[in-house]
């Protein structure tokens, strides 16, 4: 593999998984850019001495441009996630997800980086009648977050077409796994479920719990990123990063109760604004062009994740 990697948002849940995967593959020079707004240095505890951690903000071009210059691959994971957060407070998510992404792309172009692999989002599809969701569908964003992530993806396409900067966008489908922060009101639902079941508390399900997601284990997403960094003839394209399955929230909570051997009825609240009903990835294009095949079933991913949260809650990890 080429030699100089940059991971923006590298102290975050997904970014730190990419960092660990790069190290496992023998990468020697990894620059992590993170302002620690939602990322945590503890996510990099085991690898701290093998990387170059730079506390810098993608919203500050002068700060990040020298760090990106000459990179072989930039994995752009820094973002302000969450659909509801973007609805309640659209300004910071606009600044970070659109202007920050612009800065990263500008720095990649001016610094002659080899390729940018961009963390796009399945939310771009919105509510489509047809499942699974395939890349040829017209995007129908339903929230500021979905639109912002889509704008970033369009910018990647433009950077490739107009300036010849290699870019690949990966539309993540509800990523879960170890290190996802369960403590914010905007946390991913499975991290919240994990904490609830381990603390023997009822979670709140927004709506009837029959909405479904193609929950994707973080190690599969990290593996997909490494493939996207290397694949030939994919510049300017975007690919689904999902499993191809579909799990309802009721099923996910049932599995966690089963794994823990408990029975806890969830609370049901009103549906959440901006929510998509069903989400499921068509994985054909990623398999064909990126040779990607997910390795973790939902149950296996959930088992591993649960064990990680158990150890974390006990202060053991
Ligand atoms: C969306 C994107 C996802 C992206 C994520 C970033 C879609 C289909 N997915 O996730 O690709 O990575 O934004 O933030 O647009 N819920 C509860 N109880 C809770 C928390 C959530 O019932 O305590 C429900 C939500 O209402 C929603 C589902 O769980 O129906 C998933 O919510 P969440 O984990 O926030 O992710 P999405 O908004 O689906």
């Amino acid at each position: 593999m080429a030699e100089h990697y940059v991971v923006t948002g590298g102290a975050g849940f997904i970014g730190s998984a990419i960092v660990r995967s790069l190290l496992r593959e023998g990468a020697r020079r990894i620059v992590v850019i993170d302002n620690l707004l939602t990322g945590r240095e503890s996510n990099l505890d085991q690898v701290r001495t093998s990387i170059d951690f730079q506390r810098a903000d993608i919203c500050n071009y002068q700060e990040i441009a020298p760090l990106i210059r000459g990179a072989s691959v930039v994995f752009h994971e820094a973002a302000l996630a969450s659909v509801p957060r973007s609805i309640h407070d659209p300004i910071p998510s606009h600044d970070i997800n659109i202007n920050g992404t612009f800065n990263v792309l500008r720095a990649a172009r001016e610094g002659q980086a080899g390729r940018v692999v961009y963390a796009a989002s399945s939310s771009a599809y919105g509510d489509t009648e047809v499942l699974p969701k395939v890349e040829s569908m017209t995007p129908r964003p339903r929230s500021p977050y979905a639109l912002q992530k889509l704008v970033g993806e369009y910018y990647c396409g433009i950077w490739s077409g107009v300036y010849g900067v290699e870019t690949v966008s990966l539309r993540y489908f509800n990523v879960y796994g170890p290190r996802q922060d369960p403590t914010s009101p905007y946390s991913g639902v499975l991290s919240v479920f994990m904490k609830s079941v381990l603390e023997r508390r009822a979670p709140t399900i927004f709506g009837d719990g029959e909405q479904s997601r193609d929950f994707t284990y973080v190690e599969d997403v990290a593996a997909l990123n490494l493939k996207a960094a290397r694949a030939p003839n994919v510049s300017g394209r975007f690919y689904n990063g999902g499993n191809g399955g579909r799990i309802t929230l009721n099923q996910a909570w049932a599995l966690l109760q089963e794994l823990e051997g408990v029975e806890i009825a969830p609370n049901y609240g009103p549906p959440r604004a901006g929510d998509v009903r069903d989400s499921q990835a068509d994985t054909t294009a990623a398999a064909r062009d990126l040779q990607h095949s997910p390795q973790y079933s939902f149950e296996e991913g959930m088992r591993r994740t649960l064990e990680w949260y158990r150890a974390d809650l006990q202060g053991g990890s």
Side-chain angles (χ1 to χ4, degrees), residues 82 122-123 172 174 188-189 204-206 211 213 249 272 275:
S82 171
S122 67
S123 57
Y172 299 161
N174 289 72
V189 67
T204 298
I205 291 180
F206 304 132
Q211 66 266 51
R213 295 290 183 270
L249 295 190
R272 207 173 69 178
D275 242 16

Side-chain angles (χ1 to χ4, degrees), residues 82-93 143-145 185-186 272-273:
S82 171
V83 167
R85 182 177 0 223
S86 78
I87 292 175
H88 297 152
D89 194 8
I91 297 169
S93 66
S143 63
Y145 175 78
Y186 302 123
R272 207 173 69 178

Side-chain angles (χ1 to χ4, degrees), residues 88-223:
H88 297 152
D89 194 8
I91 297 169
S93 66
H94 178 97
D95 284 344
I96 294 168
N97 297 339
I98 295 186
N99 299 334
T101 294
F102 179 84
N103 286 335
V104 170
L105 287 170
R106 178 184 161 201
R109 176 184 172 224
E110 291 179 9
Q112 299 188 328
R115 184 176 287 198
V116 177
V117 181
Y118 168 66
S121 172
S122 67
S123 57
Y125 289 108
D127 269 328
T128 57
E129 276 167 29
V130 180
L131 294 173
K133 302 186 182 198
V134 60
E135 289 88 342
S136 55
M137 287 174 168
T138 304
R140 297 190 196 284
R142 282 168 52 85
S143 63
Y145 175 78
L147 177 64
Q148 292 154 10
K149 279 283 161 181
L150 183 61
V151 169
E153 198 185 291
Y154 284 158
Y155 256 126
C156 286
I158 298 295
W159 245 237
S160 163
V162 175
Y163 300 123
V165 176
E166 288 202 17
T167 64
V168 186
S169 295
L170 302 172
R171 290 183 174 173
Y172 299 161
F173 279 69
N174 289 72
V175 187
Y176 73 99
R179 298 180 183 78
Q180 189 168 28
D181 179 6
T183 60
S184 144
Y186 302 123
S187 295
V189 67
L190 292 186
S191 70
V192 175
F193 277 13
M194 294 278 165
K195 195 166 184 293
S196 298
V197 81
L198 289 168
E199 293 174 350
R200 306 295 188 247
R201 285 186 295 102
T204 298
I205 291 180
F206 304 132
D208 62 6
E210 288 303 301
Q211 66 266 51
S212 62
R213 295 290 183 270
D214 187 354
F215 291 111
T216 305
Y217 191 57
V218 66
E219 290 301 323
D220 277 328
V221 168

Side-chain angles (χ1 to χ4, degrees), residues 304-315:
R304 287 175 184 245
T305 308
L306 191 59
E307 288 322 306
W308 187 87
Y309 280 105
R310 195 193 314 283
D312 191 54
L313 277 176
Q314 291 165 355

Side-chain angles (χ1 to χ4, degrees), residues 13 26-27 41 53 78-79 82 90 102 106-107 141-142 146 213 227 235 237 251 253 257 267 291 316-317:
F13 154 56
E41 274 191 280
F53 175 77
S82 171
F102 179 84
R106 178 184 161 201
R142 282 168 52 85
R213 295 290 183 270
K227 285 175 175 144
S235 187
R237 305 244 178 103
Q251 286 171 332
W253 181 246
Q257 291 176 87
N267 300 315
Q291 274 73 55
S317 143

